[in-house]
């Protein structure tokens, strides 16, 4: 007679072996700063902060910088919101997060992981965008103008991803909204850069960012509780 395997016990054994990896200096510093060993490890395993993603972001913004220098059009401010939105939408969830199943074993909720990862991803993308903009006088003219739109598009993408439990849907929604904003600005003013350069748009962008941030907080309000087995819910 076959015995039913104790999947929970097996999962606990696997998770214990993987989490047993000794932390490095950076992880120990983050653990002291965040006051949580689990959050420190979750932050260091953020997909959008891993080397392949960072190289891809650098390549996109670098291409935008070259194109800006060649054409005189500030493309970096128009690309940065999309790069950040994709990075933040893919910051957490099954299929895109190498540590997603392991974070299910932490006695913290989705909200805490997102609250740690999202600012880190946004800050990294903002620094990359600023560095790319510094190489072009045309882009530098609107360097800080795209930070608020970037926050709005990123928050929107994350809100959609949170509600639909699909990072791909979040990225598609963020890309669509930003494309519509750029096309609308060009239709009205004749310049695509107006999407980030018009001061009148800062308030609507800020409102969108705040509303979407509230949606994310509500959507990740699941009470924190220790989870010992594989996730049965999550993003696709």
């Amino acid at each position: 007679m076959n015995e039913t395997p104790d999947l929970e016990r097996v999962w606990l054994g696997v998770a214990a072996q993987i989490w047993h990896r000794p932390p490095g200096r950076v992880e120990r510093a983050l653990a002291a700063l965040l006051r949580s060993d689990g959050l420190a490890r979750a932050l260091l395993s953020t997909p959008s902060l891993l080397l392949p993603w960072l190289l891809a972001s650098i390549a996109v913004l670098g291409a935008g910088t070259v194109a800006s220098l060649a054409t005189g059009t500030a493309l970096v401010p128009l690309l940065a919101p999309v790069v950040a939105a994709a990075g933040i939408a893919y910051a957490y969830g099954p299929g895109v997060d190498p540590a997603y199943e392991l974070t299910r074993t932490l006695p913290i909720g989705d909200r805490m992981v997102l609250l740690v990862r999202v600012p880190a991803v946004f800050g990294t993308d903002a620094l990359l965008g600023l560095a790319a903009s510094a190489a072009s006088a045309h882009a530098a003219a609107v360097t800080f103008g795209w930070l608020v739109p970037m926050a709005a598009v990123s928050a929107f993408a994350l809100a959609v991803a949170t509600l639909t439990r699909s990072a791909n849907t979040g990225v598609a929604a963020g890309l669509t909204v930003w494309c519509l904003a750029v096309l609308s600005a060009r239709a009205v003013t004749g310049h695509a850069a107006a999407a980030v350069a018009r001061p009148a748009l800062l308030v609507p962008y800020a409102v969108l960012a705040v509303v979407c941030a509230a949606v994310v907080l509500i959507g990740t309000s699941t009470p924190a509780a220790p989870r010992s087995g594989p996730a049965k819910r999550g993003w696709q």
Side-chain angles (χ1 to χ4, degrees):
M1 183 175 179
N2 295 330
E3 297 182 359
T4 302
D6 187 347
L7 295 180
E8 182 173 352
R9 178 176 57 80
V10 173
W11 172 252
L12 282 174
V14 172
Q17 290 180 1
I18 298 178
W19 280 114
H20 184 65
R21 177 177 61 81
R25 293 181 179 179
V26 175
E27 185 171 336
R28 289 196 296 269
L30 286 174
L33 179 64
L34 300 173
R35 298 181 181 276
S36 170
D37 294 339
L39 280 179
R41 184 150 297 188
L43 177 57
L44 287 180
S45 60
T46 304
S48 308
L49 295 179
L50 299 181
L51 184 59
W53 188 279
L54 291 177
L55 291 178
S57 299
I58 292 172
V60 171
L61 295 176
T65 301
V66 173
S68 296
L69 293 172
T71 64
T73 301
L75 295 180
V76 171
L78 301 180
L79 293 175
V82 175
V83 172
I88 288 180
Y90 280 114
Y92 186 61
V96 296
D97 185 354
Y100 179 78
E101 292 295 341
L102 294 181
T103 59
R104 301 292 84 197
T105 67
L106 297 174
I108 55 177
D110 294 348
R111 176 187 290 182
M112 282 303 301
V113 176
L114 284 173
L115 287 180
V116 169
R117 284 181 165 182
V118 167
V121 174
F122 184 89
T124 300
D125 288 332
L127 289 175
L128 291 176
L130 291 172
S133 295
S136 171
H138 300 286
V142 288
T143 290
F144 296 100
W146 51 261
L147 290 177
V148 175
M150 189 169 86
V153 178
S154 298
F156 182 77
L158 182 59
V160 173
T162 300
L163 293 177
T164 62
R165 291 292 177 182
S166 171
N168 293 330
T169 302
V171 172
L175 179 60
T176 299
V177 166
W178 185 238
C179 286
L180 291 175
V182 172
L183 292 175
S184 298
R186 179 164 185 166
V188 173
T189 66
H191 301 284
V196 295
R198 294 178 64 191
L201 295 177
L202 293 181
V203 173
Y205 285 143
V207 171
L208 177 62
V210 171
V211 170
C212 291
V215 170
V216 172
L217 291 177
I218 295 173
T220 56
S221 59
T222 305
R227 285 164 277 190
S228 57
K232 295 183 180 179
R233 61 180 178 81
W235 296 0
Q236 303 298 325

